[in-house]
């Protein structure tokens, strides 16, 4: 390696198509370039502006790495939460679907039972109507029989009364 970098890769600023990882690589390349430049000027004992830039870039690189690590930890926790929640929701959905199937079967059974009981009630209503008609007819027959009895009883009573008077006259 000659220590030279293509000018286009060093001078091209990170754009929207660069990700966090490419930004870190770009920053590392910039730091290395600055370090090479700083070595050429390192003959002086004081901190030069280039060395100060290098220090700042190294600080930015360390901060970027730390933020990346923190984001990875946060994402891992979120992913674990999502995975756990997904498992719980899938189980709850499966249980609800089973409950729905059981309830649908119960509804079908109870609908069938209701239809059967409706038929039986209609049959009983017919029986009740028949019995009520029979009771009404029997009541009319009894009323007619009572009227005949009362007429016969009155006739017999008058006959017995007339016989008693006739015997008393004789």
């Amino acid at each position: 390696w000659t220590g030279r970098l293509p000018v286009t890769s060093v001078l091209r600023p990170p754009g929207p198509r660069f990700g966090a990882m490419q930004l870190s690589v770009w920053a590392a390349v910039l730091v290395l370039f600055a370090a090479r430049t700083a070595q050429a000027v390192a003959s002086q004992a004081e901190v030069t502006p280039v060395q100060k830039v290098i220090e700042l870039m190294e600080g930015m690189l360390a901060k970027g790495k730390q933020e990346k690590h923190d984001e990875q930890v946060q994402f891992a926790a979120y992913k674990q939460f999502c995975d756990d929640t997904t498992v719980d929701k899938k189980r709850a959905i499966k249980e609800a679907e089973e409950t729905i199937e059981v309830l649908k079967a119960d509804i079908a059974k109870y609908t069938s039972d209701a239809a059967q009981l409706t038929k039986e009630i209609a049959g009983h209503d017919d029986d009740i109507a028949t019995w009520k008609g029979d009771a009404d007819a029997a009541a009319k027959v009894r009323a007619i029989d009572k009227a005949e009895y009362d007429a016969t009883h009155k006739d017999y009573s008058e006959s017995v009364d007339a016989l008693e008077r006739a015997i008393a006259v004789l």
Side-chain angles (χ1 to χ4, degrees):
W1 187 61
T2 62
R4 292 186 166 197
L5 296 173
V7 175
T8 57
S9 67
V10 173
L11 297 178
R12 183 174 46 194
R17 66 178 185 267
F18 285 96
M21 189 66 171
Q22 289 175 336
L23 181 62
S24 297
V25 170
W26 186 81
V29 168
L30 187 60
V31 169
L32 289 175
F33 177 74
R36 284 271 188 200
T37 307
Q39 287 176 353
V41 188
S43 60
Q44 299 174 354
E46 294 182 15
V47 176
T48 63
V50 174
Q51 288 175 333
K52 186 67 175 169
V53 168
I54 292 172
E55 289 176 12
L56 290 173
M57 293 297 288
E58 288 174 349
M60 286 175 55
L61 179 64
K63 183 179 176 185
K65 286 182 179 180
Q66 181 61 39
E67 287 177 358
K68 179 183 173 187
H69 174 72
D70 293 344
E71 186 176 324
Q72 286 174 336
V73 168
Q74 184 182 13
F75 177 76
Y78 179 71
K79 185 176 184 320
Q80 183 64 40
F81 166 77
C82 289
D83 291 343
D84 293 345
T85 302
T86 300
V87 168
D88 290 343
K89 296 301 178 188
K90 284 182 180 178
R91 181 178 33 79
I93 288 170
K94 183 179 178 185
E95 289 174 358
E97 287 173 347
E98 290 173 358
T99 302
I100 288 170
E101 290 302 317
V102 168
L103 292 175
K104 282 182 179 179
D106 287 347
I107 288 170
K109 179 186 178 294
Y110 296 140
T111 302
S112 169
D113 290 349
Q116 178 62 33
L117 293 173
T118 301
K119 288 179 185 177
E120 290 179 15
I121 288 171
H124 293 313
D125 285 343
D126 292 342
D127 290 343
I128 290 171
T130 302
W131 296 334
K132 186 170 183 158
D134 291 348
D136 290 344
K140 286 180 184 178
V141 169
R142 282 193 301 275
I144 292 170
D145 288 346
K146 183 177 184 315
E148 287 177 10
Y149 170 77
D150 288 341
T152 305
H153 180 61
K154 183 179 178 185
D155 184 43
Y156 288 160
S157 294
E158 289 174 356
S159 295
V160 169
D161 199 28
L163 284 175
E164 285 177 358
R165 279 182 295 178
I167 291 176
V169 172
L170 286 172

